[in-house]
C-alpha cells in the first residue's frame, strides 16, 4: 500500500526466452516488432541478454520494466545458472544452445548449434518462480528432447584439446637438446 492507503499495482512479472545465440535473439526481437499489434508491442519491454553485450547492457535484464510494461528477456544459456532475476514468472525454452567444440582435424574451436542437455533444460525451467510462483514451457516435444538432447554437459574445459589445456602447465623446452652435457646439469642438494 502507498502512503495514501491505495494499493500499488504489482508487476505482472517478466518472461524469459532461451535461444541459442545472439543472431537468434536479434531475429526474434525483429519478428516481435514486426508481427505484434502496436498496442501489445507498446506494452512489451524486450531486453536481450548474451555474452556479446557490454556489462551495462547485460545489467538491463535486472532492471524492472517501465511502468505499465511487461519485461521479456531474450537470453542465451548465460542466464541458465549464472544469475537470478527474481521477477521471472514464465520461462520459454527453445531447447537449443551453442557449445564450444574442438575439431581435432582442423585444430580449431568453434561454436556448434545443438540441443541443450537435460541438466540445462532443468536449470532453464528453474529460472521461473524464484521470487514468486511461475512456470516453465519447453518449446519442443518429448520425442525431440530424446533425439536432440545429450544427457550431461561436459566439463567447461572439455572443448579444448588436451595438449592445449596442459601446455601452460608444462615448463618451457630447454635451450639445448636432450643430449645436454651432464656437466651443465645442476647437482642435487647434499
Amino acid at each position: 500500500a502507498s502512503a495514501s492507503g491505495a494499493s500499488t499495482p504489482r508487476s505482472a512479472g517478466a518472461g524469459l526466452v532461451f535461444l541459442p545465440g545472439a543472431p537468434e535473439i536479434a531475429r526474434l526481437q525483429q519478428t516481435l516488432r514486426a508481427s505484434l499489434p502496436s498496442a501489445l508491442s507498446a506494452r512489451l519491454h524486450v531486453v536481450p541478454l548474451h555474452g556479446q553485450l557490454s556489462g551495462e547492457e547485460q545489467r538491463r535484464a535486472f532492471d524492472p520494466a517501465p511502468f505499465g510494461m511487461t519485461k521479456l528477456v531474450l537470453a542465451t544459456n548465460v542466464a541458465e545458472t549464472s544469475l537470478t532475476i527474481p521477477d521471472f514468472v514464465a520461462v520459454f525454452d527453445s531447447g537449443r544452445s551453442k557449445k564450444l567444440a574442438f575439431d581435432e582435424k582442423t585444430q580449431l574451436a568453434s561454436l556448434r548449434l545443438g540441443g541443450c542437455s537435460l541438466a540445462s533444460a532443468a536449470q532453464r525451467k528453474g529460472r521461473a518462480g524464484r521470487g514468486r510462483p511461475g512456470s516453465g514451457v519447453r518449446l519442443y516435444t518429448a520425442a525431440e528432447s530424446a533425439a536432440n538432447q545429450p544427457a550431461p554437459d561436459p566439463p567447461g574445459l572439455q572443448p579444448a584439446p588436451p595438449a592445449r589445456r596442459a601446455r601452460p602447465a608444462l615448463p618451457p623446452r630447454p635451450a639445448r637438446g636432450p643430449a645436454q652435457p651432464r656437466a651443465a646439469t645442476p647437482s642435487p642438494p647434499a
Side-chain angles (χ1 to χ4, degrees):
S2 67
S4 66
S7 75
T8 344
R10 185 174 185 187
S11 162
L16 172 62
V17 180
F18 281 103
L19 296 161
E24 293 82 2
I25 289 172
R27 274 197 302 274
L28 183 54
Q29 275 186 284
Q30 182 61 34
T31 300
L32 290 171
R33 268 183 275 199
S35 62
L36 289 177
S38 59
L40 179 58
S41 182
R43 294 191 327 243
L44 193 60
H45 179 63
V46 180
V47 181
L49 179 61
H50 54 80
Q52 295 174 8
L53 297 173
S54 69
E56 183 178 320
E57 291 170 310
Q58 290 182 17
R59 278 189 287 282
R60 288 182 51 223
F62 292 92
D63 296 338
F67 183 77
M69 297 183 81
T70 300
K71 179 171 68 174
L72 182 64
V73 176
L74 308 179
T76 61
N77 57 358
V78 71
E80 257 177 41
T81 57
S82 60
L83 53 93
T84 297
I85 302 174
D87 58 348
F88 289 142
V89 295
V91 172
F92 302 93
D93 181 10
S94 69
R96 310 298 285 158
S97 67
K98 290 183 181 173
K99 296 209 167 71
L100 190 63
F102 183 76
D103 185 332
E104 290 286 337
K105 186 177 180 181
T106 63
Q107 295 291 300
L108 295 174
S110 63
L111 289 174
R112 294 210 182 122
L113 180 63
C116 70
S117 71
L118 297 174
S120 290
Q123 280 288 340
R124 290 174 176 196
K125 187 176 181 182
R127 297 290 97 190
R130 295 275 171 155
R132 58 184 159 167
S135 61
V137 178
R138 293 185 175 155
L139 304 174
Y140 47 91
T141 66
E144 289 171 322
S145 175
N148 297 325
Q149 292 185 336
D153 281 325
L157 293 177
Q158 190 64 32
R164 185 174 290 171
R165 288 193 309 265
R167 193 172 296 140
L170 297 176
R173 292 184 181 179
R176 295 176 219 136
Q180 170 178 336
R182 189 177 179 133
T185 307
S187 298

